[in-house]
Amino acid sequence: MLSRASRDSKLYPYADPWDGQRGPYFERNWLPDMLSGLGGVTDDYASLTDHLDGMDPHGVPPTDAAQLAANAMHVNGANPAVGPAWKSEQAFKNRSSKAIAALRQHIVSVPLVAEIDKMVRLYRGSQWAQGAPILTATYPATYHVVALQGQPLQGAHLVAYQQCGNSLARHVLARLKLDGMPRRVSGLDVANQNTVWANISLSNSVGIAQNTPTALKTYLEQVNSERNTPHPQNDVLVKFLQVLQGGPKEIATKAMDELASPRQDWRNADGTGSPPPPPNAQRT
């Protein structure tokens, strides 16, 4: 990847280029930067980020956890058109093409670019037997298994449609996430996560500046969200205060004040906010 200072913003307008390596850079930097940048690319109906989220006209919203719990086969219907249906539908297809082009432009991994091109080629050729993404809730009339033609999607095809819907760009992005998101399945991963959590400090994590508390809070929430089992909110608050206590006296004093009365944005989802236990009683 390139640094923001050296990046050619004409060649890579939305994010530093990604080299295809799996890890935190993809999750913390490249993907958020891309989605933020694509949020500024709009037409008469929606942005490219709206499209990748399944929230634009004609898009199929992802099936959420509650819907899956109620019915594992559930698929959402498409969002309604806005304005003339034909124009709205064409804009949807254009957003998909533009999103794919933007994602591809910001990847410098030859194998991954080739994989994107292959997905597009297979879909355009209706090559279902070779793995072309299916963008309908039922198997296409040209599907190679005749008995499944017109039937509801099953197995991996169903799961892919539930999350990616009718957008080829969303299927491409899901493929990129499969390659880029850090794996969190092994005991070694858990041990590494615990080490990272224990070693968080002002000096090696966020530095000391005017926005240090805000930057630290954001960093802790980010690292915590990447854990196999995230710490409870009160544990994150205690860690926040512990780290601040190791900084300049002014910051440490404010950290101690917070122990007595946690701010609303650190409270639990149900609104409760009883003071956490002292830092020396909390695990790191």
Side-chain angles (χ1 to χ4, degrees):
M1 68 179 179
L2 304 175
S3 68
R4 284 179 171 79
S6 63
R7 181 177 96 223
D8 184 342
S9 60
K10 292 184 178 179
L11 186 59
Y12 307 111
Y14 308 124
D16 298 333
W18 176 43
D19 60 7
Q21 294 297 309
R22 181 189 305 279
Y25 171 73
F26 175 87
E27 183 177 35
R28 298 181 184 178
N29 301 97
W30 189 83
L31 184 58
D33 286 351
M34 281 299 300
L35 294 178
S36 176
L38 294 179
V41 183
T42 62
D43 55 24
D44 292 339
Y45 307 97
S47 72
L48 295 188
T49 298
D50 292 330
H51 180 84
L52 291 173
D53 287 340
M55 297 302 160
D56 57 339
H58 289 281
V60 174
T63 305
D64 62 32
Q67 291 170 328
L68 286 174
N71 176 12
M73 303 290 288
H74 178 85
V75 294
N76 287 314
N79 298 320
V82 174
W86 67 269
K87 185 177 180 181
S88 182
E89 184 174 3
Q90 185 58 52
F92 174 85
K93 295 177 180 178
N94 291 343
R95 284 191 293 274
S96 180
S97 297
K98 289 179 180 179
I100 292 172
L103 293 169
R104 188 183 187 280
Q105 178 182 358
H106 289 75
I107 297 173
V108 292
S109 165
V110 174
L112 268 183
V113 169
E115 182 64 26
I116 293 173
D117 293 345
K118 177 182 176 182
M119 291 180 68
V120 174
R121 183 177 67 255
L122 292 179
Y123 173 73
R124 289 177 175 172
S126 300
Q127 298 181 52
W128 316 117
Q130 284 70 47
I134 298 176
L135 308 187
T136 54
T138 57
Y139 285 98
T142 57
Y143 193 67
H144 60 288
V145 180
V146 176
L148 290 177
Q149 293 174 359
Q151 297 300 308
L153 298 181
Q154 304 173 10
H157 292 137
L158 172 62
V159 172
Y161 186 83
Q162 286 174 324
Q163 295 308 307
C164 303
N166 56 345
S167 161
L168 183 57
R170 287 169 63 189
H171 285 263
V172 167
L173 181 57
R175 178 65 176 79
L176 297 180
K177 289 180 178 178
L178 189 64
D179 279 281
M181 295 294 283
R183 290 193 179 100
R184 302 187 185 97
V185 295
S186 70
L188 180 59
D189 288 331
V190 174
N192 288 339
Q193 292 164 10
N194 290 338
T195 299
V196 169
W197 184 258
N199 290 335
I200 292 174
S201 69
L202 294 184
S203 60
N204 66 23
S205 301
V206 296
I208 298 175
Q210 186 174 0
N211 69 334
T212 288
T214 301
L216 176 61
K217 179 177 184 290
T218 300
Y219 181 74
L220 285 172
E221 290 177 335
Q222 181 180 61
V223 172
N224 193 47
S225 70
E226 295 169 1
R227 293 176 59 85
N228 290 44
T229 305
H231 289 304
Q233 193 76 339
N234 261 13
D235 288 22
V236 180
L237 170 57
V238 169
K239 184 65 176 179
F240 174 78
L241 298 175
Q242 285 179 325
V243 175
L244 288 182
Q245 287 172 18
K249 181 179 178 181
E250 294 80 4
I251 295 179
T253 299
K254 291 182 179 179
M256 290 301 297
D257 291 341
E258 281 290 324
L259 275 172
S261 180
R263 296 191 305 276
Q264 185 63 39
D265 57 339
W266 283 100
R267 295 172 187 263
N268 299 321
D270 61 2
T272 59
S274 57
N280 59 9
Q282 196 73 26
R283 70 177 184 273
T284 58

